[in-house]
């Protein structure tokens, strides 16, 4: 008796294509100005053009892609204004999250962040940019989780990918590791004011570093 081939639901195909394209943009394998051609991407992923079209529209909504013409979708360059707005949002929400995390974090949650920091140190020593970006993003996600506020999590979700994209552009990895360790220690101390102060300093330092790497010293 022959087994039937399982058909992947269209929504699942679209999410798979979307996740792959998003990661290629974040990692820099698709750079600013690169065109996303439905036919070529459908062939590469072995899918129809419908989920590719929907994935491209989702990337437009997320701010990764824009249409230069109605039929030409390209990866968006990050502008100084894009970076400023995203970091203003980080300053408002992540600083608040750090204060809540200092009050609410469990021993188990803090241990998980400490483990992430150890892995970040190893990746920094190895100079593995993709692993560093992934761990640093997970660390920030963990702080939001420790804050224990579902509305805060929902507010950050739409821009999480773009924040990860910017993190990948900043290659001052040793400095980031130092700042993350200091932020962790402030949260672990249980002092919300100390945690907020370190979070604010971290966001502002990271903003200057990101601007410098993307646009040069004149913009920082």
């Amino acid at each position: 008796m022959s087994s039937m081939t399982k058909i992947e639901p269209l929504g699942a195909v679209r999410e798979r294509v979307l996740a792959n394209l998003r990661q290629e943009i974040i990692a820099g394998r698709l750079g600013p100005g690169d065109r996303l051609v439905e036919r070529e991407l459908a062939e590469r992923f072995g899918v129809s053009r419908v989920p590719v079209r929907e994935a491209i529209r989702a990337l437009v909504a997320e701010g990764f892609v824009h249409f230069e013409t109605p039929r030409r979708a390209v990866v968006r360059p990050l502008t100084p204004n894009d970076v400023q707005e995203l970091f203003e949002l980080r300053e408002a929400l992540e600083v608040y999250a750090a204060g809540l995390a200092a009050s609410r974090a469990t021993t188990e949650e803090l241990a998980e962040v400490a483990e992430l920091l150890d892995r970040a140190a190893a990746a920094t020593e190895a100079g593995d940019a993709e692993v560093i970006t992934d761990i640093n993003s997970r660390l920030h996600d963990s702080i939001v989780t420790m804050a224990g506020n579902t509305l805060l999590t929902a507010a950050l979700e739409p821009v999480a990918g773009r924040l990860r994209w910017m993190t990948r552009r900043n290659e001052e990895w040793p400095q980031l590791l130092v700042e993350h360790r200091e932020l962790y220690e402030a949260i672990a101390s249980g002092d919300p004011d100390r945690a907020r102060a370190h979070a604010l300093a971290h966001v502002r330092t990271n903003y200057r570093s990101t601007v410098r790497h993307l646009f040069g010293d004149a913009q920082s």
Side-chain angles (χ1 to χ4, degrees):
M1 181 176 177
S2 61
S3 60
M4 296 180 63
T5 302
K6 187 176 180 180
I7 299 175
E8 189 176 10
L10 182 60
V13 176
R14 176 252 194 196
E15 288 303 315
R16 175 165 58 83
V17 173
L18 173 59
N20 277 285
L21 289 174
R22 186 193 293 119
Q23 182 55 34
E24 289 186 19
I25 293 170
I26 290 171
R29 291 189 290 272
L30 285 172
D34 284 352
R35 187 179 178 190
L36 303 182
V37 181
E38 285 183 17
R39 174 180 51 78
E40 294 176 358
L41 292 171
E43 290 177 358
R44 176 150 71 90
F45 290 115
V47 300
S48 73
R49 293 173 65 165
V50 173
V52 172
R53 186 178 305 125
E54 292 179 352
I56 289 173
R57 288 173 180 165
L59 289 169
V60 171
E62 292 180 10
F64 287 107
V65 172
H66 71 146
F67 283 99
E68 289 185 338
T69 70
R71 298 179 62 86
R72 183 181 177 87
V74 301
V75 178
R76 284 185 65 229
L78 280 168
T79 68
N81 188 62
D82 290 332
V83 176
Q84 180 179 339
E85 289 184 348
L86 282 164
F87 271 91
E88 285 172 351
L89 185 65
R90 281 190 65 184
E91 188 169 308
L93 298 184
E94 291 190 13
V95 172
Y96 178 58
L100 289 178
S103 299
R104 300 175 178 175
T106 66
T107 302
E108 292 77 13
E109 288 172 332
L110 289 169
E112 289 174 4
V113 174
E115 183 181 349
L116 284 175
L117 285 168
D118 289 341
R119 293 174 59 191
T124 300
E125 181 71 23
D128 191 329
E130 285 202 45
V131 173
I132 293 168
T133 301
D134 178 64
I135 293 173
N136 286 346
S137 297
R138 289 174 61 188
L139 187 145
H140 281 279
D141 290 345
S142 295
I143 292 172
V144 174
T145 298
M146 288 190 292
N149 186 307
T150 56
L151 290 178
L152 179 62
T153 302
L156 279 165
E157 187 174 355
V159 297
R162 274 180 285 172
L163 290 173
R164 184 180 173 93
W165 192 15
M166 283 194 297
T167 301
R168 178 65 180 83
R169 308 277 79 77
N170 180 358
E171 297 181 356
E172 295 181 10
W173 309 124
Q175 177 62 28
L176 277 175
L177 180 61
V178 169
E179 292 173 22
H180 284 160
R181 287 198 183 281
E182 292 174 347
L183 178 56
Y184 163 76
E185 290 168 2
I187 291 171
S189 76
D191 183 341
D193 289 337
R194 179 182 169 189
R196 284 191 290 266
H198 276 278
L200 180 60
H202 171 56
V203 171
R204 290 182 174 175
T205 299
N206 195 222
Y207 171 69
R208 291 191 294 270
S209 298
T210 300
V211 169
R212 186 162 56 249
H213 278 271
L214 286 171
F215 311 114
D217 290 331
Q219 292 282 346
S220 59

